[in-house]
Amino acid sequence: MGKPSSRSGTFKEGLAAVSATGHSRLGVNVDHVATVRNARGGAHPDPVRAALLAAEAGADGITAHLREDRRHISDGDIERLMSQLRVPLNLEMAATDEMLKIALKYKPHAVCLVPEKREERTTEGGLDVAGQHNHLAPYVRELVGAGIRVSLFIEAELSQLDASKSLGAPVVELHTGLYCETPVGPAREKQLKRLEVAAAHAAKIGLECHAGHGLGFDTVEPIAAIPTLAELNIGHFLVGEAIFVGFAPAIARMRAIMDAARAGLST
Ligand code: PXP
């Protein structure tokens, strides 16, 4: 997420942003703290408190997905995150007029546009940027125009990267779900290769590249080792692991695995 100043996203700037910090940034997604809260309809556990704790524990930014059905994060959570967070907020949202209005009201550091189907349990696939070019263009334009760093959540396909670039989005986030779900072995290696090729292509065409979805301690290392990935967004695993070891230790361990991977050390 970094400083909200650099918007142009050239290859050199992208790499400089990565190497300046020496690690890929960790965005902690607090959606599922809200899922647990909402199960009882009260105020506990509070995703904003979790976000503040995550920042203290080493998160470089906080990610939250305001869904159309508000099944986890609420509008009030976004308002409180904006007023209390001292690290950047990455708001995930669908490309709809309702969400655009909310993003323009709060002006988070970043907006990640994601596909959203009401019946899905989680974000199932990437945006079809190539196929939805005309639908997405005005949303990207308005958000970029408001000074918000826009990223598009896509599958690791070169056509989707090229379409994202032509749309004027400075950032893409590669969907790591398929890689994480594929059993260890040649098929998993193939998915990893796809992500590596896509991340290299993103850098080549001047897009800052992020990745996320489904990552855990067992899957994050080779992803964090990809040199042109500037940021990983991780939520569900960390919130689950918090039950066993606590949120801060889970985040600290994730941070350590990511840093070791970037430094070429295996944990
Ligand atoms: N990145 C994006 C764009 C997402 O939609 C999600 C899930 O909300 C994540 C990252 C985090 O995925 P997970 O909760 O599986 O770590």
Side-chain angles (χ1 to χ4, degrees):
M1 276 152 260
K3 287 274 170 270
S5 54
S6 164
R7 309 268 181 216
S8 57
T10 65
F11 178 42
K12 272 193 186 153
E13 282 170 351
L15 271 186
V18 177
S19 55
T21 56
H23 64 221
S24 51
R25 297 185 299 266
L26 171 59
V28 172
N29 181 314
V30 293
D31 289 349
H32 296 297
V33 178
T35 306
V36 177
R37 174 195 61 190
N38 298 353
R40 288 289 170 95
H44 182 79
D46 179 9
V48 179
R49 181 176 166 204
L52 296 172
L53 183 64
E56 252 177 58
D60 300 287
I62 297 299
T63 295
H65 184 174
L66 187 66
R67 292 188 80 103
E68 184 196 8
D69 62 8
R70 309 301 197 269
R71 73 173 75 150
H72 31 62
I73 291 297
S74 68
D75 301 57
D77 294 331
I78 297 297
E79 182 160 353
R80 288 188 304 127
L81 285 168
M82 282 302 297
S83 70
Q84 293 183 41
L85 271 185
R86 294 292 165 263
V87 294
L89 176 67
N90 173 35
L91 173 64
E92 291 177 3
M93 58 177 233
T96 65
D97 290 348
E98 182 202 9
M99 290 300 152
L100 178 64
K101 221 169 134 190
I102 293 169
L104 294 177
K105 176 177 171 194
Y106 292 112
K107 293 210 175 72
H109 167 59
V111 160
C112 180
L113 292 176
V114 300
E116 199 174 296
K117 284 188 240 131
R118 201 175 259 266
E119 65 278 11
E120 71 190 354
R121 225 181 296 173
T122 181
T123 316
E124 281 167 0
L127 274 175
D128 179 10
V129 183
Q132 287 195 298
H133 190 280
N134 292 348
H135 170 70
L136 293 170
Y139 293 97
V140 173
R141 201 170 41 243
E142 286 230 36
L143 292 164
V144 169
I148 298 169
R149 195 149 172 89
V150 177
S151 81
L152 303 176
F153 188 46
I154 57 169
E155 295 295 333
E157 286 167 16
L158 303 194
S159 59
Q160 298 295 348
L161 287 155
D162 291 338
S164 302
K165 177 72 185 175
S166 80
L167 214 50
V171 185
V172 288
E173 180 167 330
L174 303 178
H175 198 312
T176 51
L178 194 53
Y179 154 79
C180 292
E181 285 160 18
T182 307
V184 174
R188 161 89 64 91
E189 286 305 310
K190 199 171 151 199
Q191 291 303 328
L192 177 61
K193 189 79 208 159
R194 251 181 98 217
L195 290 159
E196 288 170 344
V197 168
H201 185 70
K204 197 171 134 200
I205 63 174
L207 287 171
E208 182 174 311
C209 196
H210 302 171
H213 207 282
L215 292 168
F217 294 152
D218 292 347
T219 48
V220 76
E221 193 178 316
I223 300 296
I226 299 173
T228 52
L229 280 184
E231 179 176 309
L232 303 185
N233 286 300
I234 308 178
H236 183 266
F237 176 85
L238 290 171
V239 173
E241 191 64 8
I243 295 167
F244 305 107
V245 302
F247 204 33
I251 291 165
R253 180 154 174 223
M254 187 63 81
R255 173 81 276 155
I257 296 173
M258 286 169 59
D259 290 347
R262 184 51 65 88
L265 306 166
S266 192
T267 48

